[in-house]
Amino acid sequence: MKHITTGPRDLTVDVGDTIELHLPENTSRDYCWSTTRIGKGLNLRDIRFVPSKNPLPGATSERVFYLRAKRPGAWPLSLRMRRHLDLSAALADMTVTVT
Protein backbone atom coordinates (compact mmCIF):
# COMPACT_ATOMS: atom_id res chain seq x y z
CA MET A 1 0.00 0.00 0.00
CA LYS A 2 1.43 3.37 -1.07
CA HIS A 3 0.39 6.93 -0.49
CA ILE A 4 0.78 9.00 -3.68
CA THR A 5 0.66 12.80 -3.59
CA THR A 6 0.07 14.45 -6.97
CA GLY A 7 -1.53 17.22 -8.98
CA PRO A 8 -4.06 16.58 -11.75
CA ARG A 9 -2.14 14.26 -14.09
CA ASP A 10 -2.60 10.69 -15.29
CA LEU A 11 -0.95 8.14 -13.04
CA THR A 12 -0.65 4.42 -12.39
CA VAL A 13 -1.18 2.98 -8.91
CA ASP A 14 -1.77 -0.42 -7.31
CA VAL A 15 -4.97 -1.74 -5.73
CA GLY A 16 -5.15 -0.42 -2.17
CA ASP A 17 -3.03 2.68 -2.84
CA THR A 18 -4.19 6.07 -1.57
CA ILE A 19 -4.09 9.04 -3.94
CA GLU A 20 -3.82 12.51 -2.40
CA LEU A 21 -4.72 15.05 -5.07
CA HIS A 22 -3.78 18.70 -4.33
CA LEU A 23 -5.50 21.48 -6.30
CA PRO A 24 -4.99 25.25 -5.82
CA GLU A 25 -8.11 27.22 -4.98
CA ASN A 26 -9.03 30.86 -4.41
CA THR A 27 -12.01 30.91 -2.08
CA SER A 28 -11.87 34.68 -1.59
CA ARG A 29 -13.19 34.91 -5.16
CA ASP A 30 -15.79 32.22 -4.48
CA TYR A 31 -14.01 29.52 -6.56
CA CYS A 32 -13.89 25.92 -5.36
CA TRP A 33 -13.13 22.45 -6.75
CA SER A 34 -15.66 19.63 -6.86
CA THR A 35 -15.78 16.15 -8.38
CA THR A 36 -17.99 15.61 -11.42
CA ARG A 37 -17.01 12.03 -12.29
CA ILE A 38 -15.23 9.29 -10.36
CA GLY A 39 -14.65 5.89 -11.98
CA LYS A 40 -16.08 2.84 -10.19
CA GLY A 41 -12.60 1.52 -9.38
CA LEU A 42 -11.84 4.58 -7.23
CA ASN A 43 -13.32 5.43 -3.86
CA LEU A 44 -13.46 9.06 -2.69
CA ARG A 45 -12.42 8.86 0.97
CA ASP A 46 -12.24 12.50 2.02
CA ILE A 47 -12.07 16.12 0.81
CA ARG A 48 -10.21 18.70 2.87
CA PHE A 49 -9.62 22.43 2.63
CA VAL A 50 -6.14 23.71 3.50
CA PRO A 51 -6.19 27.49 4.08
CA SER A 52 -3.35 29.68 2.90
CA LYS A 53 -0.64 30.65 5.37
CA ASN A 54 -0.69 34.08 3.71
CA PRO A 55 -3.20 36.31 5.56
CA LEU A 56 -3.68 38.72 2.63
CA PRO A 57 -6.95 38.66 0.64
CA GLY A 58 -6.74 36.64 -2.55
CA ALA A 59 -4.10 34.23 -1.24
CA THR A 60 -4.30 30.79 -2.82
CA SER A 61 -5.48 27.94 -0.61
CA GLU A 62 -5.69 24.26 -1.50
CA ARG A 63 -8.41 21.61 -1.86
CA VAL A 64 -7.15 18.07 -1.19
CA PHE A 65 -9.02 15.00 -2.45
CA TYR A 66 -8.20 11.58 -0.96
CA LEU A 67 -9.05 8.58 -3.13
CA ARG A 68 -8.44 4.84 -2.69
CA ALA A 69 -7.78 2.52 -5.64
CA LYS A 70 -10.14 -0.39 -5.04
CA ARG A 71 -10.01 -2.50 -8.24
CA PRO A 72 -7.91 -2.86 -11.42
CA GLY A 73 -8.77 -0.89 -14.55
CA ALA A 74 -8.39 2.56 -16.11
CA TRP A 75 -10.73 4.89 -14.21
CA PRO A 76 -11.68 8.46 -15.11
CA LEU A 77 -11.55 11.23 -12.55
CA SER A 78 -13.02 14.62 -13.48
CA LEU A 79 -12.97 17.71 -11.31
CA ARG A 80 -14.21 21.22 -11.98
CA MET A 81 -13.35 24.54 -10.40
CA ARG A 82 -16.11 27.06 -10.66
CA ARG A 83 -17.65 29.99 -8.91
CA HIS A 84 -20.79 29.04 -7.09
CA LEU A 85 -22.91 31.27 -9.33
CA ASP A 86 -21.12 30.74 -12.66
CA LEU A 87 -21.70 28.06 -15.24
CA SER A 88 -18.18 28.28 -16.69
CA ALA A 89 -15.55 26.11 -15.06
CA ALA A 90 -11.86 25.24 -15.14
CA LEU A 91 -11.26 21.57 -15.86
CA ALA A 92 -8.97 18.91 -14.39
CA ASP A 93 -9.41 15.55 -16.08
CA MET A 94 -7.14 12.60 -15.47
CA THR A 95 -7.07 8.82 -15.74
CA VAL A 96 -5.95 6.59 -12.88
CA THR A 97 -4.79 3.14 -13.98
CA VAL A 98 -4.97 0.59 -11.16
CA THR A 99 -2.85 -2.53 -11.55
Side-chain angles (χ1 to χ4, degrees):
M1 183 182 321
K2 293 181 289 196
H3 187 91
I4 296 119
T5 301
T6 185
R9 61 179 176 81
D10 292 353
L11 69 150
T12 299
V13 300
D14 295 322
V15 171
D17 286 352
T18 298
I19 303 155
E20 185 177 315
L21 181 60
H22 292 254
L23 298 167
E25 190 172 89
N26 190 332
T27 55
S28 68
R29 294 187 179 176
D30 202 26
Y31 283 91
C32 69
W33 285 99
S34 63
T35 58
T36 58
R37 183 175 180 201
I38 300 174
K40 292 182 180 183
L42 303 172
N43 184 21
L44 180 62
R45 305 289 297 236
D46 196 8
I47 302 172
R48 295 186 184 171
F49 174 75
V50 180
S52 174
K53 294 179 181 175
N54 182 346
L56 297 175
T60 301
S61 54
E62 207 171 48
R63 186 74 55 179
V64 183
F65 294 84
Y66 297 88
L67 300 114
R68 173 80 59 152
K70 63 181 185 178
R71 61 179 164 186
W75 307 106
L77 176 60
S78 297
L79 302 114
R80 302 290 180 260
M81 182 173 60
R82 69 176 72 202
R83 291 181 68 180
H84 291 289
L85 300 177
D86 287 348
L87 295 177
S88 62
L91 310 174
D93 293 319
M94 58 189 282
T95 299
V96 178
T97 301
V98 181
T99 56

